[in-house]
Amino acid sequence: MKCDVLNTPFTNCPHADFVDKAVRAAFAESLEKLKGSLPLKVPVVVSGQKRFEGRTRPRYCPSQKDWQVAAVTLATQEDVDRALAAAARAWGEWRDLPVEERALLLDKLADRIQADRFDLAALQTLEVGKPWREADADVTEAIDFCRYYARRALVELAPRPQGNVWGERNTLWYEGRGVAAIIAPWNFPLAILTGMATAALVAGNAVLIKPAGQSSAIGYGLYERMIEVGFPPDVVHFIPGPGSEIGDYIVEHPLIAMIAFTGSKEVGLSLIRKAGNTKPGQAQVKKVVCEMGGKNAIIIDDDADLDEAVAGVMKSAFGYAGQKCSACSRVITVGQVHEPFVKRLIEACRSLHIAPAHDPACQLGPVIDEGAYQRLNGVIANPGDGATPLYIGTPPSDDGFFVAPALFAVQDPRHRLMQEELFGPILAIYQAKNFDEALEVAVSTEFALTGGVFSRSPSHLEAAKKRFRVGNLYLNRGCTGAMVDRQPFGGFGMSGIGTKAGGPFYLLSFADPRCVTENTMRHGFTPDIPPEA
Ligand code: NAD
């Protein structure tokens, strides 16, 4: 098998340089082309057969409510049955391919996504209201997942000798478990879906891809490119539809061997419960890879560089309108830094340009949909006793689901603004007496996903490394924007079961280990006897 391309070191795909006029023009061209083709029709695809008929659901642009971006066909239980039966039949052959063959397909997929990177990013600006830079970063992350997992597969999954004893040969390898359900959120609509699906596939599983309802057109963009580069249609099936309608059916189906889920704590925990119920005809215990929410804090120490701290908090709290699992939703100031920090943060909030995500000048776009818009406005209007508004911004229009930044001072670490994942541009600010208390408050939620510290004290940074126990801790920088390989991403506590996407050993969660031991001290061989003899 020729796979020289995979013997090159992994490097991250650079983000687009929008300072370059030609790059801006290319992105704008993709956007215009896309606008001319709306609404996109998103089918259910089982074994390569597309179905556009039946129930569909419209998806509207969060920045401009009257633009229909897509008409999404909704999968039925019958679609799921057919897809699972075909996937279960195709799985064995796929599993038994040399791992290099599957890894090469991932690399080809990366090339294919890269060739269309602005088309896929432009679609994100319209379908999920992601501003240009962040949409581009989501696409480059998808490319990175493909290239990274392709290379890691050769190291982690391929057969390797174990032990070193005369007369015995031991071989350990990892192989696919069966059919995996890939259940993804809308907030990193291409990257997370691509990451979970390619990890499952390269490990030798067949997959049912179930994108989030809000980002099904982007999910279909991925599916189409997978088939174009050569993933077998019986191994990859595309099953869009509301999680509440077909999600449980997929998860509880006896032909599902594992579930790769990223989304909210509520849904994640319910999937873990359901996956634990063994049904008649089920061949194995279902494994669940589960990444959930966060309530992430940044500590501003009393000696922090405020130029950096304010910029870091703004990016972490209001990037993609606070709709990142890694987003900063709590700031903990230490002592006297509180007042100057808050003053500067408010000024920074005032200067944020809130605009439609497809506008290149947009710094803060809309939230995902009407439900999120109503819920977040409800919290801003009624944050609960003990929350003092420090700044409430004004949304530019009601053409889209715009929610302006809202800052609240909170004195009780148990306050709901300090505990609940709100998933929007709402920030709670707590003033701690000293760094020790700040650390205690930082880890006082059930989540443990990301966190940050701005400090110039080496001893405080060391203390944070030990006591600020989260999956991804960032010192003297913002707490979002993990890069594949450089910051393996994922949390623990109620944020996840401890896997690290884009990091070493992630692929092992998608495979079963096998070890074969052969006694090589045998005396002579039995020649192969032809069957007719
Ligand atoms: P969600 O939990 O509502 O939905 C996630 C996916 O689950 C969607 O595809 C949805 O259709 C599906 N789903 C819903 N109900 C289901 C059911 N009963 N059975 C099966 N599937 C079902 O989450 P969301 O709103 O799409 O995403 C936001 C959440 O995701 C936030 O909590 C965020 O923190 C989290 N998130 C976590 C990470 C991480 O790496 N830890 C990354 C991104 C997002």
Side-chain angles (χ1 to χ4, degrees), residues 225-485:
R225 286 165 181 81
M226 284 179 146
I227 297 301
E228 278 170 34
V229 300
F231 284 92
D234 277 333
V235 167
V236 187
H237 304 265
F238 184 69
I239 307 290
S244 50
E245 287 180 20
I246 50 155
D248 289 344
Y249 188 70
I250 297 175
V251 168
E252 294 184 50
H253 203 289
L255 285 180
I256 284 287
M258 71 169 294
I259 297 135
F261 169 83
T262 305
S264 61
K265 180 190 99 179
E266 289 66 31
V267 175
L269 294 183
S270 81
L271 297 194
I272 290 171
R273 265 195 314 275
K274 286 165 197 157
N277 287 332
T278 310
K279 291 233 172 134
Q282 187 174 319
Q284 57 187 312
V285 180
K286 289 175 189 173
K287 207 167 176 177
V288 187
V289 170
C290 185
E291 309 288 347
M292 300 179 286
K295 186 70 190 174
N296 314 298
I298 292 184
I299 297 177
I300 314 294
D301 203 357
D302 57 5
D303 63 357
D305 175 337
L306 290 191
D307 290 343
E308 283 195 343
V310 171
V313 168
M314 289 299 290
K315 190 162 182 230
S316 308
F318 305 122
Y320 193 31
Q323 302 173 109
K324 297 182 185 178
C325 51
S326 53
C328 166
S329 54
R330 295 180 293 151
V331 166
I332 304 166
T333 56
V334 177
Q336 298 311 310
V337 83
H338 183 82
E339 214 174 290
F341 171 81
V342 167
K343 231 169 151 182
R344 288 169 72 163
L345 190 70
I346 290 173
E347 287 312 309
C349 286
R350 277 193 225 287
S351 73
L352 263 188
H353 184 61
I354 309 175
H358 48 271
D359 175 347
C362 165
Q363 290 177 314
L364 180 71
V367 297
I368 188 71
D369 55 22
E370 170 96 44
Y373 176 78
Q374 299 293 356
R375 180 177 53 77
L376 292 164
N377 280 322
V379 174
I380 293 171
N382 257 318
D385 291 345
T388 314
L390 294 169
Y391 173 77
I392 309 287
T394 314
S397 77
D398 56 6
D399 293 343
F401 301 116
F402 297 102
V403 178
L407 311 180
F408 293 93
V410 177
Q411 271 93 43
D412 179 359
R414 308 304 310 163
H415 194 280
R416 69 178 287 221
L417 295 188
M418 294 286 283
Q419 295 292 328
E420 279 174 33
E421 185 185 46
L422 297 171
F423 228 54
I426 300 177
L427 191 56
I429 305 181
Y430 177 89
Q431 184 178 17
K433 284 189 284 302
N434 50 42
F435 193 73
D436 203 51
E437 190 203 352
L439 284 176
E440 250 170 57
V441 172
V443 294
S444 67
T445 76
E446 60 182 352
F447 298 106
L449 190 52
T450 74
V453 178
F454 283 91
S455 172
R456 288 193 278 204
S457 156
S459 65
H460 284 182
L461 294 176
E462 275 313 304
K465 282 185 205 167
K466 290 201 185 84
R467 293 175 51 198
F468 198 161
R469 297 187 62 257
V470 288
N472 288 74
L473 179 67
Y474 298 93
L475 306 179
N476 287 318
R477 53 154 280 180
C479 66
T480 56
M483 303 278 286
V484 168
D485 187 34

Side-chain angles (χ1 to χ4, degrees), residues 483-498:
M483 303 278 286
V484 168
D485 187 34
R486 284 167 52 190
Q487 290 99 21
F489 188 78
F492 47 89
M494 288 297 154
S495 293
I497 313 186

Side-chain angles (χ1 to χ4, degrees), residues 130-208:
K130 204 169 248 224
W132 286 28
R133 269 179 211 286
E134 292 172 275
D136 174 67
D138 182 76
V139 177
T140 57
E141 192 178 1
I143 296 166
D144 286 352
F145 277 132
C146 296
R147 297 210 200 284
Y148 180 78
Y149 291 148
R151 283 159 180 76
R152 291 304 303 178
L154 303 193
V155 180
E156 292 173 11
L157 305 174
R160 76 180 81 145
Q162 291 290 126
N164 187 13
V165 179
W166 285 105
E168 182 180 281
R169 186 162 41 225
N170 301 295
T171 311
L172 173 74
W173 74 95
Y174 288 80
E175 64 179 35
R177 312 190 83 232
V179 188
I182 309 298
I183 303 181
W186 48 263
N187 68 335
F188 287 93
L190 187 67
I192 292 181
L193 192 64
T194 306
M196 294 196 297
T198 54
L201 284 162
V202 81
N205 302 283
V207 297
L208 255 63

